Amino acid sequence: MARRCPVSGKGVLVGMNVSHAHNRTKRRFLPNLQPTSLLSEALGRSVRLRLTTNAIRTIEKRGGLDAYVLGTAASKLSAELVKIKRQVAKAVEAKAA
């Protein structure tokens, strides 16, 4: 499982631990990924994703998962979010018809 957020694209960064004596050792900065369940009103179920806290805040600010995926271009979404976007769009279309 990749340590990358499908919404924000944040991933692992590398840097150095620097001691008082200025000895350097490599280290990794991991993104703050949280397993979350976001409720999709159009699908009528929750969708489980591993998102960064920053991405969770972005989705909530945009009005929820449905509003976020429908309002974002497919080219800017990851493969799993494009799949969810198609399902949401189909459900919204069926509900309107």
Side-chain angles (χ1 to χ4, degrees), residues 7 28 33 37 39 41 43 50 59 69 72 74 85 90 96:
V7 174
R28 292 164 38 117
L33 290 174
S37 292
L39 181 66
E41 294 166 3
L43 299 177
R50 282 182 70 211
I59 289 171
V69 294
T72 307
K85 180 177 180 167
K90 193 173 185 180

Side-chain angles (χ1 to χ4, degrees), residues 3-94:
R3 287 190 173 99
R4 183 166 298 278
C5 176
V7 174
S8 63
K10 289 185 180 188
V12 178
L13 296 174
V14 263
M16 296 283 191
N17 279 333
V18 181
S19 70
H20 185 68
H22 210 65
N23 296 329
R24 292 174 169 219
T25 55
K26 280 200 145 193
R27 64 159 292 181
R28 292 164 38 117
F29 295 94
L30 300 177
N32 188 9
L33 290 174
Q34 304 293 324
T36 57
S37 292
L38 297 172
L39 181 66
S40 172
E41 294 166 3
L43 299 177
R45 63 179 174 90
S46 62
V47 178
R48 292 195 42 83
L49 296 167
R50 282 182 70 211
L51 303 174
T52 58
T53 53
N54 189 343
I56 295 169
R57 292 182 62 184
T58 301
I59 289 171
E60 291 301 320
K61 181 179 178 182
R62 299 260 183 99
L65 180 65
D66 297 343
Y68 177 77
V69 294
L70 292 176
T72 307
S75 61
K76 292 188 177 186
L77 296 174
S78 68
E80 61 183 320
L81 286 177
V82 169
K83 189 173 163 184
I84 293 170
K85 180 177 180 167
R86 281 194 211 111
Q87 292 173 355
V88 168
K90 193 173 185 180
V92 167
E93 219 175 83

